[in-house]
Amino acid sequence: MVMIMDNVIDIQNVNLWYGDHQALFDVSMPVQKNKVTALIGPSGCGKSTLIRSINRMNDLIDGCRVEGRMMFHGEDIYGPGTDVIKVRKKIGMIFQKPNPFPMSVRDNITYGPKIHGITDKDKLEEILEKSLREAALWEEVKDRLDKSAMSLSGGQQQRLCIARTLAVSPEVILMDEPTSALDPIATSKIEDLITELVKEYTVVIVTHNMQQAARISDYTGFMYIGEMVEFDKTDKIFQNPSKEMTDRYISGRFG
Amino acid sequence: MRMKRFIEDLNNLVGTTNGFGNLVLSMAERSVYAMNNLDAEVAKSVMDDYAQVDYLDGLIEEEALRILMLFQPMVSDMRMVAVILKTITYMERIGKYCYNVAKAVIYLSDAGVKRSYKNISAMGELAVDMIRMVTETMKDRDITRFEEISAKDQKMDELRDLVLNKSVEYMSRDPCCVDVCTYFISISKFFERIGDHACKSAEKITYMVNGKRVNYN
Protein backbone atom coordinates (compact mmCIF):
# COMPACT_ATOMS: atom_id res chain seq x y z
CA MET A 1 0.00 0.00 0.00
CA VAL A 2 1.34 3.38 0.99
CA MET A 3 4.77 2.44 2.36
CA ILE A 4 5.81 -1.05 1.38
CA MET A 5 8.73 -0.91 3.84
CA ASP A 6 6.32 -0.63 6.78
CA ASN A 7 4.52 -3.87 6.00
CA VAL A 8 5.20 -6.42 8.72
CA ILE A 9 3.13 -8.95 6.85
CA ASP A 10 2.45 -8.97 3.15
CA ILE A 11 -0.13 -11.42 1.87
CA GLN A 12 0.27 -11.93 -1.87
CA ASN A 13 -2.20 -13.82 -4.06
CA VAL A 14 -3.02 -16.45 -1.48
CA ASN A 15 -5.30 -19.37 -2.39
CA LEU A 16 -6.32 -21.84 0.29
CA TRP A 17 -8.12 -25.17 0.12
CA TYR A 18 -9.69 -27.40 2.75
CA GLY A 19 -9.49 -30.65 0.79
CA ASP A 20 -11.40 -29.98 -2.45
CA HIS A 21 -13.10 -26.89 -1.10
CA GLN A 22 -11.38 -23.63 -1.98
CA ALA A 23 -11.82 -21.14 0.87
CA LEU A 24 -9.55 -18.26 -0.26
CA PHE A 25 -9.25 -16.94 -3.81
CA ASP A 26 -6.20 -14.91 -4.76
CA VAL A 27 -6.26 -12.82 -1.59
CA SER A 28 -3.74 -10.01 -1.20
CA MET A 29 -3.40 -7.70 1.76
CA PRO A 30 -0.64 -5.73 3.46
CA VAL A 31 -0.41 -5.49 7.25
CA GLN A 32 1.30 -2.30 8.32
CA LYS A 33 3.52 -2.04 11.37
CA ASN A 34 1.95 -0.48 14.48
CA LYS A 35 -1.46 -0.28 12.84
CA VAL A 36 -4.72 -2.11 13.43
CA THR A 37 -5.96 -3.95 10.36
CA ALA A 38 -9.55 -5.16 10.55
CA LEU A 39 -11.16 -7.91 8.50
CA ILE A 40 -14.92 -7.79 8.01
CA GLY A 41 -17.37 -9.86 6.01
CA PRO A 42 -20.31 -12.23 6.45
CA SER A 43 -19.87 -15.62 8.13
CA GLY A 44 -18.04 -18.06 5.89
CA CYS A 45 -16.34 -15.35 3.83
CA GLY A 46 -12.87 -16.58 4.75
CA LYS A 47 -11.74 -13.90 7.18
CA SER A 48 -11.05 -16.35 10.01
CA THR A 49 -9.36 -18.69 7.54
CA LEU A 50 -7.16 -15.82 6.40
CA ILE A 51 -6.21 -14.66 9.89
CA ARG A 52 -5.55 -18.26 11.01
CA SER A 53 -3.33 -18.84 8.03
CA ILE A 54 -1.10 -15.93 9.03
CA ASN A 55 0.42 -17.89 11.95
CA ARG A 56 -0.18 -21.27 10.34
CA MET A 57 -2.99 -22.33 12.67
CA ASN A 58 -4.58 -24.00 9.65
CA ASP A 59 -1.68 -26.48 9.56
CA LEU A 60 -3.58 -28.31 12.27
CA ILE A 61 -6.49 -28.96 9.91
CA ASP A 62 -6.24 -32.07 7.73
CA GLY A 63 -6.19 -31.44 4.00
CA CYS A 64 -5.50 -27.73 4.28
CA ARG A 65 -3.32 -26.47 1.44
CA VAL A 66 -2.00 -22.94 0.87
CA GLU A 67 -0.64 -21.41 -2.33
CA GLY A 68 0.75 -17.94 -2.87
CA ARG A 69 3.09 -15.93 -0.71
CA MET A 70 2.59 -14.90 2.87
CA MET A 71 5.56 -12.78 3.80
CA PHE A 72 6.61 -11.90 7.35
CA HIS A 73 9.43 -9.36 7.26
CA GLY A 74 10.18 -10.48 3.73
CA GLU A 75 10.34 -14.20 4.55
CA ASP A 76 7.66 -16.60 3.42
CA ILE A 77 5.73 -17.96 6.41
CA TYR A 78 5.09 -21.10 4.32
CA GLY A 79 8.69 -21.37 3.07
CA PRO A 80 10.46 -24.73 3.49
CA GLY A 81 12.91 -23.51 6.13
CA THR A 82 10.37 -21.73 8.30
CA ASP A 83 10.31 -22.54 12.01
CA VAL A 84 6.56 -22.76 12.74
CA ILE A 85 7.07 -22.43 16.50
CA LYS A 86 8.99 -19.21 15.94
CA VAL A 87 6.28 -17.90 13.64
CA ARG A 88 3.62 -18.53 16.28
CA LYS A 89 5.81 -16.90 18.95
CA LYS A 90 6.22 -13.80 16.83
CA ILE A 91 2.59 -13.82 15.67
CA GLY A 92 0.31 -14.50 18.63
CA MET A 93 -3.39 -15.18 18.53
CA ILE A 94 -6.48 -14.37 20.59
CA PHE A 95 -9.73 -16.24 20.03
CA GLN A 96 -13.41 -15.46 20.35
CA LYS A 97 -13.86 -17.39 23.56
CA PRO A 98 -11.30 -16.64 26.28
CA ASN A 99 -9.27 -19.83 26.73
CA PRO A 100 -7.03 -19.48 29.78
CA PHE A 101 -5.21 -22.62 30.89
CA PRO A 102 -6.84 -24.24 33.95
CA MET A 103 -4.06 -23.03 36.21
CA SER A 104 -3.16 -19.93 38.20
CA VAL A 105 -2.98 -16.45 36.73
CA ARG A 106 0.79 -16.51 37.26
CA ASP A 107 1.27 -19.86 35.53
CA ASN A 108 -0.84 -18.79 32.58
CA ILE A 109 1.53 -15.93 31.90
CA THR A 110 4.84 -17.67 32.65
CA TYR A 111 3.95 -20.84 30.75
CA GLY A 112 5.03 -19.46 27.38
CA PRO A 113 8.33 -17.90 28.51
CA LYS A 114 9.23 -21.13 30.36
CA ILE A 115 8.55 -23.20 27.23
CA HIS A 116 10.84 -20.84 25.36
CA GLY A 117 13.61 -21.49 27.85
CA ILE A 118 13.38 -18.74 30.45
CA THR A 119 13.93 -20.21 33.94
CA ASP A 120 15.23 -17.24 35.94
CA LYS A 121 12.63 -16.50 38.61
CA ASP A 122 13.20 -12.74 38.70
CA LYS A 123 13.00 -12.57 34.93
CA LEU A 124 9.72 -14.50 34.95
CA GLU A 125 8.28 -12.20 37.63
CA GLU A 126 9.30 -9.23 35.54
CA ILE A 127 7.59 -10.68 32.47
CA LEU A 128 4.51 -11.49 34.56
CA GLU A 129 4.05 -7.94 35.78
CA LYS A 130 4.97 -6.31 32.48
CA SER A 131 2.57 -8.49 30.47
CA LEU A 132 -0.31 -8.00 32.89
CA ARG A 133 0.28 -4.25 32.98
CA GLU A 134 0.36 -4.07 29.20
CA ALA A 135 -2.90 -5.99 29.09
CA ALA A 136 -4.43 -3.52 31.59
CA LEU A 137 -5.08 -6.35 34.04
CA TRP A 138 -2.34 -5.93 36.66
CA GLU A 139 -4.31 -3.76 39.08
CA GLU A 140 -7.20 -6.22 39.02
CA VAL A 141 -5.22 -9.40 39.62
CA LYS A 142 -2.00 -8.42 41.43
CA ASP A 143 -3.43 -9.68 44.73
CA ARG A 144 -4.69 -12.97 43.32
CA LEU A 145 -1.85 -14.12 41.08
CA ASP A 146 -1.98 -17.61 42.52
CA LYS A 147 -5.74 -17.97 42.19
CA SER A 148 -7.14 -19.97 39.31
CA ALA A 149 -7.51 -18.04 36.06
CA MET A 150 -10.90 -19.67 35.72
CA SER A 151 -12.17 -17.54 38.63
CA LEU A 152 -11.73 -14.34 36.59
CA SER A 153 -14.63 -12.72 34.71
CA GLY A 154 -14.94 -13.28 30.95
CA GLY A 155 -13.47 -9.88 30.15
CA GLN A 156 -10.59 -10.43 32.58
CA GLN A 157 -9.95 -13.88 31.12
CA GLN A 158 -9.71 -12.37 27.64
CA ARG A 159 -7.24 -9.75 28.84
CA LEU A 160 -5.33 -12.56 30.56
CA CYS A 161 -5.11 -14.35 27.22
CA ILE A 162 -3.78 -11.15 25.68
CA ALA A 163 -1.22 -10.86 28.51
CA ARG A 164 -0.25 -14.51 27.92
CA THR A 165 0.39 -13.72 24.28
CA LEU A 166 2.42 -10.61 25.17
CA ALA A 167 4.58 -12.65 27.57
CA VAL A 168 6.45 -14.28 24.68
CA SER A 169 7.25 -10.88 23.06
CA PRO A 170 5.31 -11.15 19.80
CA GLU A 171 5.38 -8.55 17.04
CA VAL A 172 1.93 -9.21 15.67
CA ILE A 173 -1.25 -10.08 17.55
CA LEU A 174 -4.05 -11.73 15.62
CA MET A 175 -7.50 -11.44 17.16
CA ASP A 176 -10.39 -13.53 15.92
CA GLU A 177 -13.58 -11.84 17.17
CA PRO A 178 -11.99 -11.14 20.56
CA THR A 179 -15.02 -9.38 22.05
CA SER A 180 -18.00 -11.23 20.65
CA ALA A 181 -18.40 -13.23 23.87
CA LEU A 182 -18.03 -10.18 26.12
CA ASP A 183 -20.41 -7.59 27.58
CA PRO A 184 -20.20 -3.92 26.43
CA ILE A 185 -17.99 -2.77 29.32
CA ALA A 186 -15.51 -5.62 28.87
CA THR A 187 -15.64 -5.00 25.11
CA SER A 188 -14.77 -1.37 25.56
CA LYS A 189 -11.82 -2.29 27.81
CA ILE A 190 -10.47 -4.62 25.12
CA GLU A 191 -10.93 -1.89 22.50
CA ASP A 192 -9.04 0.62 24.67
CA LEU A 193 -6.37 -2.01 25.15
CA ILE A 194 -6.00 -2.60 21.41
CA THR A 195 -5.54 1.14 20.88
CA GLU A 196 -2.74 1.07 23.48
CA LEU A 197 -1.15 -2.16 22.24
CA VAL A 198 -0.78 -0.91 18.71
CA LYS A 199 1.86 1.60 19.86
CA GLU A 200 4.18 -1.38 20.48
CA TYR A 201 2.65 -4.15 18.40
CA THR A 202 0.81 -4.73 15.15
CA VAL A 203 -2.77 -5.97 15.35
CA VAL A 204 -4.98 -7.83 12.88
CA ILE A 205 -8.56 -8.27 14.06
CA VAL A 206 -11.56 -10.13 12.69
CA THR A 207 -14.83 -8.62 13.87
CA HIS A 208 -18.53 -8.79 13.12
CA ASN A 209 -19.08 -5.48 14.85
CA MET A 210 -18.88 -2.81 12.15
CA GLN A 211 -18.69 0.07 14.60
CA GLN A 212 -15.86 -1.70 16.38
CA ALA A 213 -13.89 -2.05 13.15
CA ALA A 214 -14.59 1.62 12.37
CA ARG A 215 -13.54 2.71 15.87
CA ILE A 216 -10.30 0.87 16.36
CA SER A 217 -8.76 0.02 13.00
CA ASP A 218 -6.57 2.00 10.61
CA TYR A 219 -7.14 -0.28 7.62
CA THR A 220 -10.08 -2.51 6.80
CA GLY A 221 -10.46 -5.40 4.40
CA PHE A 222 -13.92 -6.48 3.31
CA MET A 223 -14.10 -10.15 2.28
CA TYR A 224 -16.88 -12.03 0.54
CA ILE A 225 -16.95 -15.72 -0.43
CA GLY A 226 -13.20 -16.11 -0.11
CA GLU A 227 -12.24 -12.97 -1.97
CA MET A 228 -10.87 -9.65 -0.78
CA VAL A 229 -13.52 -7.35 -2.24
CA GLU A 230 -12.01 -4.11 -1.00
CA PHE A 231 -9.07 -3.10 1.16
CA ASP A 232 -8.50 0.52 2.11
CA LYS A 233 -8.11 3.02 4.91
CA THR A 234 -10.86 2.47 7.48
CA ASP A 235 -12.28 5.99 7.14
CA LYS A 236 -12.71 5.44 3.43
CA ILE A 237 -14.30 2.01 3.81
CA PHE A 238 -16.84 3.27 6.35
CA GLN A 239 -17.67 6.62 4.76
CA ASN A 240 -17.31 6.17 1.07
CA PRO A 241 -16.16 2.73 -0.10
CA SER A 242 -15.25 2.23 -3.75
CA LYS A 243 -17.35 -0.90 -4.18
CA GLU A 244 -21.13 -0.92 -4.02
CA MET A 245 -20.99 -4.34 -2.36
CA THR A 246 -18.92 -3.00 0.54
CA ASP A 247 -21.47 -0.24 1.10
CA ARG A 248 -24.32 -2.76 1.00
CA TYR A 249 -22.64 -5.12 3.46
CA ILE A 250 -21.59 -2.48 5.99
CA SER A 251 -24.99 -0.81 5.92
CA GLY A 252 -26.57 -4.17 6.69
CA ARG A 253 -28.28 -4.72 3.32
CA PHE A 254 -26.96 -8.30 3.20
CA GLY A 255 -24.74 -10.74 5.06
CA MET B 1 -36.98 -7.36 10.55
CA ARG B 2 -34.52 -4.82 11.93
CA MET B 3 -33.37 -3.94 8.43
CA LYS B 4 -36.94 -3.67 7.15
CA ARG B 5 -37.83 -1.25 9.93
CA PHE B 6 -34.66 0.74 9.37
CA ILE B 7 -35.34 1.13 5.65
CA GLU B 8 -38.93 2.15 6.36
CA ASP B 9 -37.84 4.72 8.94
CA LEU B 10 -35.13 6.04 6.63
CA ASN B 11 -37.60 6.37 3.75
CA ASN B 12 -40.02 8.22 6.01
CA LEU B 13 -37.23 10.55 7.10
CA VAL B 14 -36.34 11.29 3.49
CA GLY B 15 -40.03 11.79 2.65
CA THR B 16 -40.53 14.27 5.49
CA THR B 17 -37.32 16.09 4.52
CA ASN B 18 -38.51 16.39 0.92
CA GLY B 19 -41.84 17.74 2.18
CA PHE B 20 -39.91 20.25 4.26
CA GLY B 21 -37.95 21.27 1.15
CA ASN B 22 -41.17 21.70 -0.83
CA LEU B 23 -42.62 23.92 1.89
CA VAL B 24 -39.55 26.15 1.98
CA LEU B 25 -39.48 26.35 -1.83
CA SER B 26 -43.15 27.34 -1.88
CA MET B 27 -42.50 30.02 0.76
CA ALA B 28 -39.64 31.38 -1.35
CA GLU B 29 -41.80 31.48 -4.47
CA ARG B 30 -44.61 33.26 -2.62
CA SER B 31 -42.29 35.72 -0.91
CA VAL B 32 -40.82 36.65 -4.31
CA TYR B 33 -44.31 36.98 -5.82
CA ALA B 34 -45.42 39.08 -2.82
CA MET B 35 -42.40 41.32 -3.23
CA ASN B 36 -42.78 41.76 -6.97
CA ASN B 37 -46.44 42.65 -6.55
CA LEU B 38 -46.24 44.25 -3.10
CA ASP B 39 -48.98 41.79 -2.13
CA ALA B 40 -49.46 41.87 1.64
CA GLU B 41 -51.95 38.98 1.62
CA VAL B 42 -49.50 36.55 0.03
CA ALA B 43 -46.74 37.89 2.30
CA LYS B 44 -48.93 37.10 5.28
CA SER B 45 -49.35 33.48 4.12
CA VAL B 46 -45.56 33.12 4.00
CA MET B 47 -45.21 34.45 7.53
CA ASP B 48 -47.89 32.05 8.75
CA ASP B 49 -46.03 29.09 7.25
CA TYR B 50 -42.91 29.73 9.29
CA ALA B 51 -44.44 27.97 12.30
CA GLN B 52 -44.60 24.80 10.20
CA VAL B 53 -40.94 25.23 9.19
CA ASP B 54 -39.95 25.45 12.83
CA TYR B 55 -42.03 22.40 13.67
CA LEU B 56 -40.64 20.27 10.82
CA ASP B 57 -37.06 21.26 11.63
CA GLY B 58 -37.52 19.92 15.16
CA LEU B 59 -39.45 16.85 14.03
CA ILE B 60 -36.88 15.79 11.43
CA GLU B 61 -34.01 16.36 13.82
CA GLU B 62 -35.71 14.23 16.46
CA GLU B 63 -36.46 11.47 13.96
CA ALA B 64 -32.90 11.50 12.55
CA LEU B 65 -31.45 11.26 16.06
CA ARG B 66 -33.79 8.38 16.85
CA ILE B 67 -32.55 6.55 13.74
CA LEU B 68 -28.93 7.16 14.77
CA MET B 69 -29.67 5.78 18.21
CA LEU B 70 -31.60 2.71 17.09
CA PHE B 71 -29.77 1.63 13.94
CA GLN B 72 -26.33 3.32 13.86
CA PRO B 73 -26.48 3.72 10.08
CA MET B 74 -23.25 3.16 8.18
CA VAL B 75 -21.64 4.33 4.92
CA SER B 76 -24.18 5.82 2.46
CA ASP B 77 -27.01 5.58 5.02
CA MET B 78 -24.86 7.42 7.54
CA ARG B 79 -24.04 10.11 4.98
CA MET B 80 -27.72 10.50 4.24
CA VAL B 81 -28.83 10.94 7.87
CA ALA B 82 -25.91 13.25 8.64
CA VAL B 83 -26.62 15.39 5.57
CA ILE B 84 -30.31 15.57 6.38
CA LEU B 85 -29.40 16.84 9.85
CA LYS B 86 -27.19 19.54 8.33
CA THR B 87 -29.50 20.47 5.48
CA ILE B 88 -32.61 21.01 7.60
CA THR B 89 -30.72 23.70 9.50
CA TYR B 90 -29.95 25.50 6.23
CA MET B 91 -33.55 25.04 5.08
CA GLU B 92 -34.91 26.38 8.35
CA ARG B 93 -32.72 29.47 7.92
CA ILE B 94 -33.96 29.90 4.35
CA GLY B 95 -37.54 29.65 5.65
CA LYS B 96 -36.74 32.35 8.18
CA TYR B 97 -35.32 34.65 5.49
CA CYS B 98 -38.49 34.14 3.42
CA TYR B 99 -40.43 35.13 6.53
CA ASN B 100 -38.25 38.25 6.86
CA VAL B 101 -38.76 39.15 3.19
CA ALA B 102 -42.52 38.77 3.66
CA LYS B 103 -42.45 40.96 6.75
CA ALA B 104 -40.55 43.66 4.85
CA VAL B 105 -43.05 43.41 1.98
CA ILE B 106 -45.91 44.09 4.40
CA TYR B 107 -44.11 47.16 5.68
CA LEU B 108 -43.41 48.43 2.16
CA SER B 109 -46.99 47.77 1.13
CA ASP B 110 -48.28 49.66 4.20
CA ALA B 111 -45.90 52.51 3.33
CA GLY B 112 -47.62 52.79 -0.04
CA VAL B 113 -44.74 51.51 -2.15
CA LYS B 114 -46.13 50.36 -5.50
CA ARG B 115 -43.25 48.58 -7.17
CA SER B 116 -40.00 46.82 -6.41
CA TYR B 117 -36.53 47.16 -7.87
CA LYS B 118 -35.77 45.15 -10.98
CA ASN B 119 -32.51 43.90 -9.43
CA ILE B 120 -34.28 42.73 -6.30
CA SER B 121 -36.76 40.79 -8.42
CA ALA B 122 -33.80 39.19 -10.20
CA MET B 123 -32.32 38.26 -6.82
CA GLY B 124 -35.62 36.70 -5.81
CA GLU B 125 -35.71 34.62 -8.98
CA LEU B 126 -32.15 33.45 -8.37
CA ALA B 127 -32.99 32.52 -4.77
CA VAL B 128 -35.96 30.43 -5.92
CA ASP B 129 -33.82 28.77 -8.62
CA MET B 130 -31.13 27.86 -6.13
CA ILE B 131 -33.58 26.46 -3.57
CA ARG B 132 -35.25 24.43 -6.34
CA MET B 133 -31.85 22.99 -7.32
CA VAL B 134 -31.39 21.82 -3.75
CA THR B 135 -34.87 20.35 -3.27
CA GLU B 136 -34.87 18.58 -6.66
CA THR B 137 -31.40 17.11 -6.10
CA MET B 138 -32.39 15.90 -2.67
CA LYS B 139 -35.03 13.85 -4.50
CA ASP B 140 -33.30 12.60 -7.66
CA ARG B 141 -29.61 12.85 -6.55
CA ASP B 142 -28.60 14.39 -9.89
CA ILE B 143 -25.74 16.54 -8.65
CA THR B 144 -24.79 17.72 -12.16
CA ARG B 145 -27.48 20.33 -11.47
CA PHE B 146 -25.06 21.99 -9.02
CA GLU B 147 -22.57 22.86 -11.74
CA GLU B 148 -24.32 26.21 -12.13
CA ILE B 149 -24.90 27.00 -8.48
CA SER B 150 -21.63 28.86 -7.86
CA ALA B 151 -22.26 31.13 -10.85
CA LYS B 152 -25.74 31.88 -9.55
CA ASP B 153 -24.37 32.67 -6.13
CA GLN B 154 -21.82 35.03 -7.63
CA LYS B 155 -24.53 36.75 -9.65
CA MET B 156 -26.51 37.09 -6.42
CA ASP B 157 -23.58 38.88 -4.74
CA GLU B 158 -23.20 41.26 -7.68
CA LEU B 159 -26.89 42.14 -7.62
CA ARG B 160 -26.77 42.77 -3.89
CA ASP B 161 -23.93 45.26 -4.43
CA LEU B 162 -25.93 46.98 -7.18
CA VAL B 163 -29.00 47.24 -4.94
CA LEU B 164 -26.89 48.61 -2.11
CA ASN B 165 -25.16 51.24 -4.28
CA LYS B 166 -28.41 52.31 -5.92
CA SER B 167 -30.18 52.57 -2.57
CA VAL B 168 -27.41 54.66 -1.08
CA GLU B 169 -27.65 56.93 -4.10
CA TYR B 170 -31.44 57.35 -3.61
CA MET B 171 -31.10 57.91 0.09
CA SER B 172 -28.46 60.60 -0.30
CA ARG B 173 -30.62 62.33 -2.87
CA ASP B 174 -33.83 62.17 -0.87
CA PRO B 175 -33.67 61.47 2.89
CA CYS B 176 -37.41 60.82 2.91
CA CYS B 177 -36.90 57.45 1.26
CA VAL B 178 -34.36 56.23 3.82
CA ASP B 179 -36.79 53.88 5.58
CA VAL B 180 -38.08 52.32 2.34
CA CYS B 181 -34.57 51.95 0.94
CA THR B 182 -33.39 50.37 4.18
CA TYR B 183 -36.06 47.70 3.75
CA PHE B 184 -34.96 47.07 0.18
CA ILE B 185 -31.37 46.72 1.34
CA SER B 186 -32.52 44.24 3.97
CA ILE B 187 -34.47 42.23 1.41
CA SER B 188 -31.44 42.04 -0.87
CA LYS B 189 -29.41 40.84 2.11
CA PHE B 190 -32.02 38.14 2.86
CA PHE B 191 -31.88 36.84 -0.71
CA GLU B 192 -28.11 36.87 -0.67
CA ARG B 193 -28.13 34.82 2.54
CA ILE B 194 -30.62 32.39 1.00
CA GLY B 195 -28.13 31.90 -1.84
CA ASP B 196 -25.34 31.11 0.62
CA HIS B 197 -27.47 28.57 2.50
CA ALA B 198 -28.52 26.95 -0.78
CA CYS B 199 -24.84 26.59 -1.73
CA LYS B 200 -23.99 25.02 1.62
CA SER B 201 -26.92 22.61 1.24
CA ALA B 202 -25.67 21.73 -2.25
CA GLU B 203 -22.22 20.94 -0.84
CA LYS B 204 -23.70 18.61 1.76
CA ILE B 205 -25.99 16.90 -0.75
CA THR B 206 -23.02 16.29 -3.04
CA TYR B 207 -21.28 14.61 -0.11
CA MET B 208 -24.40 12.55 0.51
CA VAL B 209 -24.46 11.37 -3.11
CA ASN B 210 -20.79 10.63 -3.83
CA GLY B 211 -18.93 10.99 -0.52
CA LYS B 212 -16.82 13.85 -1.88
CA ARG B 213 -16.26 17.21 -0.22
CA VAL B 214 -16.79 20.15 -2.56
CA ASN B 215 -16.96 23.91 -2.19
CA TYR B 216 -19.63 25.86 -4.05
CA ASN B 217 -19.21 29.18 -2.27
Side-chain angles (χ1 to χ4, degrees), chain B residues 165-184:
Chain B
N165 292 339
K166 203 76 181 163
S167 300
V168 169
E169 194 186 312
Y170 286 150
M171 288 190 287
S172 52
R173 237 191 283 152
D174 179 5
C176 288
C177 69
V178 164
D179 55 347
V180 169
C181 282
T182 307
Y183 274 94
F184 277 123

Side-chain angles (χ1 to χ4, degrees), chain A residues 49-103:
Chain A
T49 294
L50 181 63
I51 200 174
R52 290 166 62 93
S53 66
I54 295 176
N55 72 343
R56 293 188 58 169
M57 293 296 279
N58 287 329
D59 287 14
L60 309 171
I61 297 169
D62 269 351
C64 179
R65 185 161 59 87
V66 181
E67 278 179 11
R69 281 150 61 91
M70 185 137 343
M71 312 305 282
F72 177 53
H73 289 303
E75 278 184 44
D76 197 340
I77 292 168
Y78 287 86
T82 301
D83 177 350
V84 184
I85 303 295
K86 204 174 142 205
V87 166
R88 292 192 191 134
K89 179 174 178 288
K90 284 288 166 198
I91 309 176
M93 190 147 197
I94 304 296
F95 299 90
Q96 177 176 354
K97 205 162 163 274
N99 55 354
F101 301 135
M103 43 178 85

